[in-house]
Amino acid sequence: MVIPGIDGSDEAHWQSRWQQEWGGAAVRIAPGSWAAPELADWVAAVQAAYEAVGVAGEPVVLVAHSLGCWAAACWLEAVRPAGVAAFLVAPPDPRGPAFPRAAAPSFAARAARALPCPALVVAGEDDPYCDAGVSAGFAREWGARWESGGTHGHLNSASGLGEWPAGRALLATLVADAG
């Protein structure tokens, strides 16, 4: 399941490239509030995508970026599904100075809580939306492993990651660990 951040991920974003490669095996969330995110709408979109991709007994991996990490975490906390793993890339700091409070006020009060599944947080050491120490703290609170995404900013299209092979390798470790 592909869970982008505000406005979705454009064609140059690693999420879009991976989704294109995965074809029909991947489903992208489709909230009605891409530009002015409403948490309840995004969580409902995650549920709808899960229902579209989820096959009883088959593992599902949430591949989330930015604000999508918080939508994924909120959904996981509420639903607590079995057979799911979460790949959470560049979660923004809801309390940080760069958080888009005006555009996404319903996300601003989020706090990380233990997730009911294997999870991996990958964050840039120079992400303008979240200090690396803060994202490592989110990982601890989520019960997730933390990995550095290097000095590539917010790990988005502007980072120039292309297919992001290092991210694919990290995703593979999560899938192997989730077994």
Side-chain angles (χ1 to χ4, degrees):
M1 284 178 37
V2 178
I3 307 172
I6 292 177
D7 290 326
S9 296
D10 64 25
E11 299 80 33
H13 198 288
W14 57 268
Q15 275 185 317
S16 297
R17 292 171 183 240
W18 293 5
Q19 182 182 1
Q20 184 175 13
E21 181 183 324
W22 293 331
V27 173
R28 179 182 294 241
I29 68 165
S33 60
W34 275 124
E38 290 294 332
L39 183 58
D41 178 40
W42 282 43
V43 170
V46 172
Q47 179 64 33
Y50 178 74
E51 290 170 2
V53 77
V55 177
E58 292 294 320
V60 174
V61 179
L62 310 181
V63 178
H65 179 259
S66 192
L67 204 59
C69 295
W70 291 106
C74 187
W75 178 79
L76 286 165
E77 291 169 17
V79 176
R80 307 190 72 72
V84 172
F87 186 67
L88 307 171
V89 179
D93 180 0
R95 292 170 185 79
F99 190 80
R101 281 175 192 75
S106 60
F107 284 79
R110 295 303 308 157
R113 294 182 193 84
L115 297 177
C117 65
L120 171 59
V121 175
V122 182
E125 293 178 24
D126 58 348
D127 188 334
Y129 296 100
C130 189
D131 178 84
V134 172
S135 66
F138 293 153
R140 279 190 302 278
E141 293 164 357
W142 280 326
R145 191 171 94 233
W146 185 88
E147 292 284 343
S148 169
T151 54
H152 298 286
H154 195 49
L155 304 175
N156 57 9
S157 297
S159 300
L161 298 171
E163 295 288 332
W164 195 30
R168 291 295 292 266
L170 289 170
L171 177 61
T173 67
L174 172 65
V175 171
D177 291 347

